[in-house]
Amino acid sequence: MTTKYLPAVFLAAVIVIVVAIGDSASAQNAGGAVNVQKFGDNATVQTCDNSTIELNTDEKQMLDLHNQTRTDKGLPQLCVHATLTEAARAHSQEMLDKGYLSHDSSNGENLQTRLGHFGYTFPGYSSWDYGENISWGSSYMGEPENRFDAWMNSDDHKANILNKDYREIGIGARTGAYKNNSGNMYTVDFGTRQR
């Protein structure tokens, strides 16, 4: 083979590898409920209304931990709700930006009011429920598995994760400084609404 064809052969090999990686990155979990495509540090997942949303790596890992645990306990998996995700991300970012850790917003707004501001409202529904888990950690304690394990070892947080009525989830994982330490802030909002 002459050297003038080496760049073309190399380019063809790279394209084949990229296509193979792209094909293998599309997957379904064991229950078939969540379709995932990996693009760099983000994962595209199917939402409750069959559209898609991008989750960062920590958010996707947290989703998988919730759904695997629920599946192991015979509970339905949670679908990602875009509005709950928006609310959870905003709350995690606000807690980092304003240096606090609370279920209430910095202006004193409670969870139900905050969810309503983002459009997750309850009027018109015959039954509804919602809940929230929040956490912050640095270094290995900021990893999704560590925060999830801490929640599973707390009765109130575990009750949210294993609530048989919840069907929807929004996860907000943000990285930043809290009390002069770099780490990850997590908000997980749960909900269910039935007409």
Side-chain angles (χ1 to χ4, degrees):
M1 177 183 305
T2 64
T3 56
K4 74 177 189 175
Y5 295 110
L6 284 177
V9 170
F10 177 74
L11 180 60
V14 168
I15 290 171
V16 167
I17 290 169
V18 168
V19 168
I21 289 171
D23 286 345
S24 66
S26 293
Q28 264 192 339
N29 66 17
V34 178
N35 295 318
V36 179
Q37 292 181 315
K38 284 286 202 175
F39 298 103
D41 290 337
N42 292 330
T44 301
V45 299
Q46 187 173 338
T47 61
C48 302
D49 66 1
N50 292 319
S51 61
T52 59
I53 190 169
E54 281 199 22
L55 302 181
N56 67 38
T57 302
D58 290 338
E59 291 167 342
K60 175 61 171 80
Q61 210 168 352
M62 192 64 83
L63 173 66
D64 291 344
L65 290 164
H66 279 79
N67 279 336
Q68 185 59 58
T69 299
R70 289 175 64 88
T71 297
D72 291 348
K73 300 288 186 185
L75 297 169
Q77 291 190 352
L78 300 166
C79 64
V80 176
H81 194 283
T83 303
L84 289 177
T85 301
E86 184 182 1
R89 287 174 173 168
H91 192 58
S92 287
Q93 191 62 54
E94 180 184 274
M95 289 189 291
L96 285 172
D97 291 347
K98 299 195 175 186
Y100 73 98
L101 185 67
S102 173
H103 292 287
D104 291 340
S105 296
S106 62
N107 64 2
E109 199 170 71
N110 67 21
L111 173 59
Q112 182 179 354
T113 303
R114 180 167 23 97
L115 293 178
H117 283 297
F118 282 91
Y120 194 84
T121 58
F122 306 103
Y125 291 92
S126 62
S127 67
W128 47 269
D129 197 6
Y130 60 91
E132 179 175 76
N133 288 346
I134 59 173
S135 188
W136 180 86
S138 63
S139 185
Y140 73 93
M141 292 182 71
E143 297 297 319
E145 300 90 352
N146 185 283
R147 298 297 80 213
F148 186 81
D149 288 345
W151 285 334
M152 288 301 289
N153 286 306
S154 161
D155 290 341
D156 290 339
H157 296 99
K158 183 178 181 177
N160 278 337
I161 294 166
L162 299 179
N163 185 319
K164 65 180 177 53
D165 296 325
Y166 290 154
R167 295 293 184 268
E168 301 167 333
I169 191 171
I171 302 167
R174 293 293 179 255
T175 301
Y178 173 68
K179 299 196 181 226
N180 297 320
N181 292 303
S182 181
N184 294 324
M185 184 72 76
Y186 295 93
T187 302
V188 178
D189 289 331
F190 304 91
T192 189
R193 300 179 294 182
Q194 295 182 8
R195 295 214 184 261

